[in-house]
Amino acid sequence: MSLYKVTIIGSGNWGSVVAKLAAVNTLKYPSLFDYKVYLYVYEEIVEGQKLSEIINTTHVNVKYLKGHILPDNIVAIPDLFKACVGSDILVFVLPIQFIPNVCYQLRYRVKKTAIAMTMIKGFNVEDGRLSLISNTIRRELNVPCAALMGANIAEGVIREEFCEATIGCNDLQHSEIFKKLFETKYFRIRCVPDEETVEMCGALKNVIALAAGLVDGSRAGSQNTKATIIRLGFVEMIEFCKRYFPNTRLETFFESCAIADLIASSYGGRNRKVAEYFANEPEKTLAELEEEMLQGQKLQGPITAANIYSILERESEVEKFPIFRAVHLTMIKKIPVSEFMLCVQNHPQHSIL
């Protein structure tokens, strides 16, 4: 049997961490995987050097994961096609806004037998309707696509702190391959046959993390308040998934991709952090805060919040999801941060006997 060639598409902090996980396991399973892991790097100049060359010579992603040594079997390649040619496993770990162009460039150029995985926490809206990133990958590349989501803040995983992730994959054989590619003694994985819910939870929790950050930054309440926002947000996540994906499995919400990721993101993570500063510094735009705090990386939460709002508004369902609504309107400055809590205090949950 030929060995699986692996490409990680995206070299931000999480993409670099994922490349490390894969690189460790390609060496662990030499009869299954090609030992090299190819990392597509959007070329940038850092201190006068090309980022891809820095990674290949020092084994450090000095732009997005400074201070951490990556395995030397990771090969950084700044050309998308060269990074992906002949690959059997394509792992997408890049900002959602780049997916259409990346898929367009790879169309008709990937192996017909390839399999894909998305770790992108977001979704698109096409013709007013929700469209999963995995669906875009399947449609454009004509390959099956699973999803991996979980309570996996990059800084903790690169330090090898114990955590979990969830793989949503409806093909048992592919689940086994992905599990061997990414699981380690500190990064444990559960596989569930519920691709859509796993992927959606990864997107929706970012919006609730923004809500948690707004509460923290505005000092609108105690930990009691924040816990209430998280619980109500969790309910909205479940209701949104059930509304648009009728085959959603309730038990999936108790996996790492949902409840655990929601908790982790609401107390750590970039969406919560930036939202806290957003509440404290109303004179600054979201773009300015992203540039200052994220070294040019983009938040996925505000994009997801806008997409949720557009879908719900189109179907006249906005009022049934007060937290999703309030987060979007606050982040685009249609309502002041001081009014955020007023928008959620009469939540439909509280009218249920």
Side-chain angles (χ1 to χ4, degrees):
M1 185 185 79
S2 60
L3 302 178
Y4 289 105
K5 178 181 175 181
V6 179
T7 297
I8 311 298
I9 303 172
S11 58
N13 60 352
W14 183 227
S16 299
V17 173
V18 168
K20 175 190 173 181
L21 294 171
V24 168
N25 284 327
T26 57
L27 295 177
K28 182 179 179 180
Y29 299 104
S31 63
L32 186 60
F33 301 109
D34 181 335
Y35 79 98
K36 289 184 180 180
V37 172
Y38 298 89
L39 178 66
Y40 167 63
V41 176
Y42 178 78
E43 195 69 281
E44 301 177 68
I45 303 300
V46 181
E47 298 179 357
Q49 289 184 275
K50 294 179 179 180
L51 181 57
S52 62
E53 293 179 357
I54 295 173
I55 294 172
N56 286 333
T57 55
T58 69
H59 309 296
V60 177
N61 186 336
V62 294
K63 179 70 183 288
Y64 298 113
L65 203 64
K66 189 177 293 187
H68 297 282
I69 304 295
L70 298 173
D72 59 12
N73 58 320
I74 294 174
V75 180
I77 301 177
D79 183 289
L80 178 62
F81 177 66
K82 289 181 179 179
C84 297
V85 65
S87 287
D88 302 284
I89 301 175
L90 302 170
V91 183
F92 292 81
V93 199
L94 69 169
I96 187 173
Q97 55 268 36
F98 298 130
I99 275 290
N101 185 51
V102 165
C103 285
Y104 177 78
Q105 291 183 64
L106 292 177
R107 187 188 293 178
Y108 310 123
R109 305 180 84 177
V110 301
K111 289 180 71 171
K112 292 181 179 180
T113 56
I115 59 176
M117 169 172 280
T118 175
M119 298 187 183
I120 300 168
K121 296 184 175 182
F123 58 83
N124 288 319
V125 176
E126 298 178 0
D127 298 323
R129 300 188 182 282
L130 189 157
S131 177
L132 295 173
I133 299 302
S134 60
N135 285 341
T136 300
I137 294 169
R138 293 185 194 104
R139 181 182 68 240
E140 297 299 320
L141 304 185
N142 196 30
V143 297
C145 185
L148 184 149
M149 306 287 162
N152 311 137
I153 294 173
E155 290 78 5
V157 181
I158 196 64
R159 292 193 296 266
E160 301 188 359
E161 298 171 356
F162 180 67
C163 63
E164 290 181 310
T166 310
I167 289 177
C169 183
N170 297 340
D171 185 300
L172 180 59
Q173 183 180 3
H174 294 170
S175 293
E176 292 173 352
I177 294 169
F178 286 130
K179 187 176 173 73
K180 285 183 176 179
L181 181 60
F182 295 116
E183 186 172 64
T184 69
K185 63 182 180 181
Y186 61 88
F187 188 79
R188 303 312 300 266
I189 290 174
R190 276 177 50 83
C191 300
V192 298
D194 192 3
E195 294 173 347
E196 295 170 333
T197 307
V198 170
E199 186 174 351
M200 280 301 301
C201 285
L204 297 176
K205 62 87 188 179
N206 281 333
V207 181
I208 310 307
L210 290 172
L214 292 173
V215 171
D216 289 340
S218 64
R219 296 174 176 81
S222 64
Q223 294 301 319
N224 297 339
T225 305
K226 186 171 177 178
T228 301
I229 291 297
I230 293 171
R231 188 196 79 80
L232 292 173
F234 187 51
V235 170
E236 291 192 19
M237 287 172 58
I238 294 172
E239 291 303 314
F240 191 88
C241 285
K242 287 167 59 179
R243 182 177 296 266
Y244 294 100
F245 299 98
N247 293 325
T248 284
R249 292 156 48 109
L250 184 61
E251 55 265 39
T252 301
F253 292 98
F254 299 95
E255 298 288 347
S256 181
C257 63
I259 185 64
D261 198 5
L262 174 60
I263 293 169
S265 298
S266 296
Y267 283 90
R270 63 182 68 171
N271 285 280
R272 189 219 65 81
K273 183 178 180 180
V274 173
E276 179 181 16
Y277 278 82
F278 182 85
N280 277 324
E281 303 183 39
E283 73 283 356
K284 290 188 176 181
T285 66
L286 184 59
E288 289 172 336
L289 290 173
E290 287 176 329
E291 184 64 32
E292 289 177 15
M293 302 174 67
L294 304 180
Q295 297 180 300
Q297 296 190 85
K298 296 295 183 182
L299 288 181
Q300 301 303 302
I303 298 172
T304 301
N307 285 341
I308 291 170
Y309 189 89
S310 69
I311 291 168
L312 293 175
E313 186 177 44
R314 184 175 186 268
E315 300 185 7
S316 301
E317 299 281 4
V318 172
E319 301 303 323
K320 294 180 181 179
F321 296 85
I323 295 180
F324 287 160
R325 172 185 177 274
V327 167
H328 172 62
L329 294 179
T330 302
M331 298 307 293
I332 64 171
K333 298 193 174 186
K334 284 288 183 69
I335 61 173
V337 175
S338 59
E339 292 184 15
F340 173 76
M341 286 305 303
L342 297 177
C343 295
V344 301
Q345 285 176 344
N346 292 316
H347 199 283
Q349 273 280 298
H350 300 136
S351 64
I352 300 174
L353 295 178

